Amino acid sequence: MFQKGQDIIWKGSLWVVLILLVSCSTSKPFQLTDVSPKYREYQGSDLDPHKTKDVIIPVTKNRKYDSFIEEAHRTIALLEFGENIALRADSKKTVGDPVEKEMQAAAYLEEDLPAVITRLPELIQINQSLIDSTPNDFDGPSIGRVTYELGNILESLRQYSPKAIGIQNAIRNLRSDSSNYNQGRDIASPDTKPEEADPVLISNDDNTPKKPEKIVKKEEQTNKISIKRLNRKTKVTGKATEQINEMVKKEEEEVLSDEEKKDKEYTEQIRNGLVQVFRWEYYRKPKYLEKILATHPIPRVRSAAALALGRLKAGRVTLQTAIDKDGYQVRPAAYKALSDIGDKRSLSYFIAGTKAEDPEVIAVSFEGLGKTKDPAGRELILTQGIASEYVVIVSGSLRGLAYHKLDADVEIFSKFLKSNEQEIKEASIEALAIHGSRESLRILEQVALEEPSLTMMAIDEIGKNPSLSATFALIRLNESMTDDKFTKRIGESLLRRKAFGKYAIILIEDDYLRAEPNERSTPISYIKNKEIGLIVSETKKEFAVRMGEDIVTDKYIQIKMESTLPGARSAFVTGWVFYPKIDIIEVKQLGNDGNSGKYSQLKKGKHKNLFNPVDGVKLPKKD
């Protein structure tokens, strides 16, 4: 009886362990039939890409990640399968073997591949975004496991992305080549006897052998067929682009004149060069861009490489060499790139550029001078740059002057804001944003409120400033504006800069920020209506304070605000204010993707969702 009880306990424990193992499973196998059941007959065959490897995919229990991982593996498996089909069919045709099995698989692939190839770039983009958001969605060992899987998928997708069209064309050619539908080949060895020939190649309806004349001419037929196979092989195999280029080239040789051919080759050379520039900029490889700038034969491509180096803030020495030795088409681009970099070691080039004949070169040279923050450069900007008769030079000079960040220059920007030239007005707004002082931001707020044609630009320029003062300015604008178009853009900017937290809006006309939570404590800064502050903390106990004829009991709130005292050491000051004297705004992050948020007025109970900064689509509420 005791032994039977032990057996029952042991079996029960075993079932518990098995249930736990099943419930804790975090991976599952992936096979060719998971792509589509119609590929069942090829699973485990030589054409199956999974025959020599076991593919195990993780189960994250996060629907977004699991659905992407399964779709990505289906895409990769289908492309691998298509590549195997194309290679095996080509190999068989070379030796004269039938390709019926490959033809049948190609029929299925011809239906499935177009949709998969169309979605391939989107899958790569989604993959990268999921890798970036993995630390927010997982923790512990799961982060490493999911990131490793997504990294492998991304590598495979990028590997097959340039080959996908070639695979599709190879499958299409396999289906369209009429010789693939023959049941055999009319090839026989010279010593093969007629009665031992492939019965499929001989008409056996009346059991009569082939005529001797056909047997005598087999050697000649063999030579002809082998030549045709070579021609067909060059059309079927290889990359799709190579096949198309070969066909187009043959047609052009008959149609185009010599001059037209040269123009075509020159255009193709430009296209290939620009593609290389965009590629190395995307992968952030300035070394290759410097090589293109120094050696490529076409000026347009060299100019594109120079501009790309400027955007990457690299290649200063090569750009300076291009200015010294290259022609007029490349030099403006090299000057623009040097201006984007703004290195002090390029000062002599900027000074020389201010004396150039091209207004574009002069403009970027003045802007580059400002980035060096050299006093001599500032003097040139004030005496020559902003006094120029060319609008483009004045605009560049204003932006360059702003990099010195001197308070005296704010008045100059305000003066040019009143210009009749729209380009100079916009340059003044950009200069105020670069200057970034509290006075500059206040002027931008005023522009946003008073000039509707410049409101959106002013909001965007304030949003580029990373300071807390810019966040205060955006919140003030949001409280002052009623147009949904502008409040939406402000919400996107707050969300993009991750300005999450609680903010205080002063409700009274005149008062002071106090050093301690006490109405009799030392005033440390003057505050007035509609000023904004960041809430730091609040008192645990409440206080009774006289407000007019009433005695009000509430807490004190500690806030961080812009200092109003002249000559203050710091731009911000932290102190206490009584809670009934303020309204509280909360900017709150929603969800795990970091692309949604909510803007709330806690006292009034008003809420509105912020918007996705990428596509501007309003997200659903997640209260």
Side-chain angles (χ1 to χ4, degrees), residues 374-395:
D374 187 89
R378 182 172 183 272
E379 188 65 24
L380 283 175
I381 292 174
L382 292 173
T383 57
Q384 299 179 22
I386 62 176
S388 173
E389 60 181 358
Y390 291 99
V391 171
V392 65
I393 296 176
V394 174
S395 300

Side-chain angles (χ1 to χ4, degrees), residues 60 62 64-65 127-148 150-151 592:
T60 67
N62 184 316
K64 178 174 64 174
Y65 287 84
N127 194 335
Q128 188 60 59
S129 65
L130 289 179
I131 291 176
D132 296 337
S133 62
T134 300
N136 297 327
D137 297 335
F138 299 95
D139 52 16
S142 299
I143 296 178
R145 185 166 59 88
V146 176
T147 304
Y148 177 76
L150 292 175
N592 296 323

Side-chain angles (χ1 to χ4, degrees), residues 399-448:
R399 287 189 290 267
L401 184 62
Y403 285 102
H404 289 274
K405 298 184 183 295
L406 297 179
D407 294 338
D409 296 335
V410 176
E411 185 177 351
I412 297 176
F413 305 142
S414 300
K415 172 185 173 183
F416 280 96
L417 264 176
K418 301 174 184 178
S419 171
N420 295 327
E421 295 289 343
Q422 183 71 11
E423 185 176 345
I424 291 180
K425 282 187 175 182
E426 294 177 355
S428 300
I429 291 176
E430 292 173 353
L432 287 167
I434 294 169
H435 192 274
S437 65
R438 183 174 62 181
E439 292 75 17
S440 299
L441 293 172
R442 292 300 176 112
I443 294 174
L444 288 176
E445 284 185 63
Q446 188 177 357
V447 170

Side-chain angles (χ1 to χ4, degrees), residues 322-340:
I323 291 174
D324 293 334
K325 298 182 179 180
D326 217 318
Y328 75 96
Q329 188 173 357
V330 179
R331 293 180 75 249
Y335 264 112
K336 176 65 171 67
L338 276 186
S339 177
D340 289 339

Side-chain angles (χ1 to χ4, degrees), residues 514-527:
R514 306 278 176 177
E516 296 177 1
N518 189 318
E519 286 298 300
R520 297 184 302 277
S521 66
T522 305
I524 58 176
S525 184
Y526 177 73
I527 57 176

